[in-house]
Every structure is written in structure tokens, then in C-alpha cells.
Amino acid sequence: MPSTIEIKNLTKRYDNLTILDDISFSINPSEFIVFLGPSGCGKSTLLRMIAGLESITEGEIWMDQDRLDVLPPGKRNISMVFQNYALYPHMTVEDNMAFGLKNIGTDEGIIQSRYQASF
Ligand SMILES: Nc1ncnc2c1ncn2[C@@H]1O[C@H](COP(=O)(O)OP(=O)(O)O)[C@@H](O)[C@H]1O
Ligand SMILES: [Mg+2]
């Protein structure tokens, strides 16, 4: 079921260095979003904050009616595919994509149909 993600006034600072400054936007159901910017501008930091792998300094992250930023990564129902190093090299593309769904006990038929729909 597609969801809306809402980023509200998100700020990230490391000590007194501000990386992301009061970012707000929404991602609507089934919308495909790309963040484009020079190296070091904060793209990965933003994704890590949404996934829960990086703390946020200020602001909130919502998925539909749920506030995400107060939840641990495993409770957010968010997946992140890293730029490097995080695929399981001994597994097929299909196995890599199915891994998270298998872990939460998703029916094999649903995994198959989602996999097929991703191409
Ligand atoms: N743990 C950290 N401590 C201090 N600065 C950091 C840390 N992690 C990332 N940064 C800085 O945050 C900025 C944004 O990094 P990043 O999100 O990786 O950029 P991008 O993905 O857009 O290339 C960079 O200037 C980087 O040096
Ligand atoms: Mg990056």
C-alpha cells in the first residue's frame, strides 16, 4: 500500500556545522523522487535520517498518520539500498530484493508479484 512521507522542518547539525537546514517536503503515494546535488550536500544524510540510521537534530518525519522519527529503523517500514557494499554478493538480484520481505514473513506470491512489478 503506497504511503505519503512528509518531511517537516528537518535540520541536521554536526556540532556547529549545519548540513541540512530546515528541509520540508512531501512524497506522495507512488511518486518517484530524486535528490540531485553536489557531493557532500547532504543527500545520503537525508536518506539515512529517513531510514533511521542517523539521528535528526530538529524536525519530524511522518509516514501517513505515523510519526517515524521516534521509531527505531526496524519499525519504520522503510528500506534503503546503499550506494556501495550492502548487497549480498552470494545472492541473486531477486533474492536481494526479496530479503526484507521474507524477513517480515510476507507471502511468497506477494513477494513474486512485487518483484515482477519492479521491472
Ligand atoms: N559523522 C559526520 N560528522 C561530521 N560531518 C559529517 C558526518 N557525516 C557526514 N558529514 C558531512 O555531512 C555532509 C553531507 O554528507 P553526505 O550526506 O554524505 O553528502 P552527499 O550524500 O550529498 O554526498 C558532508 O559535508 C560530510 O562531510
Ligand atoms: Mg551520498
Side-chain angles (χ1 to χ4, degrees):
M1 182 78 171
S3 301
T4 298
I5 292 181
E6 197 164 359
I7 306 298
K8 297 184 181 178
N9 306 105
L10 210 58
T11 290
K12 177 67 183 178
R13 285 186 213 102
Y14 290 108
D15 298 320
N16 57 358
L17 184 66
T18 301
I19 304 295
L20 296 166
D21 189 9
D22 197 19
I23 307 270
S24 298
F25 62 92
S26 295
I27 305 174
N28 295 313
S30 301
E31 194 171 14
F32 186 84
I33 287 260
V34 174
F35 300 118
L36 188 64
S39 185
C41 77
K43 305 177 296 292
S44 294
T45 302
L46 176 59
L47 294 179
R48 291 171 60 81
M49 289 161 78
I50 294 171
L53 306 177
E54 188 63 73
S55 66
I56 69 177
T57 309
E58 285 168 24
E60 297 176 2
I61 302 169
W62 289 75
M63 183 187 279
D64 300 326
Q65 269 54 260
D66 299 321
R67 186 167 169 188
L68 283 198
D69 58 278
V70 295
L71 300 176
K75 294 252 159 81
R76 297 190 182 199
N77 201 16
I78 293 263
S79 298
M80 181 161 171
V81 179
F82 297 91
Q83 225 162 336
N84 296 313
Y85 307 125
L87 294 176
Y88 299 107
H90 62 292
M91 286 168 27
T92 63
V93 170
E94 181 175 357
D95 289 342
N96 270 280
M97 291 177 72
F99 186 75
L101 292 173
K102 280 191 179 145
N103 268 346
I104 59 171
T106 306
D107 182 82
E108 185 63 36
I110 293 175
I111 294 177
Q112 268 299 320
S113 66
R114 288 207 197 162
Y115 173 69
Q116 297 298 339
S118 67
F119 290 101

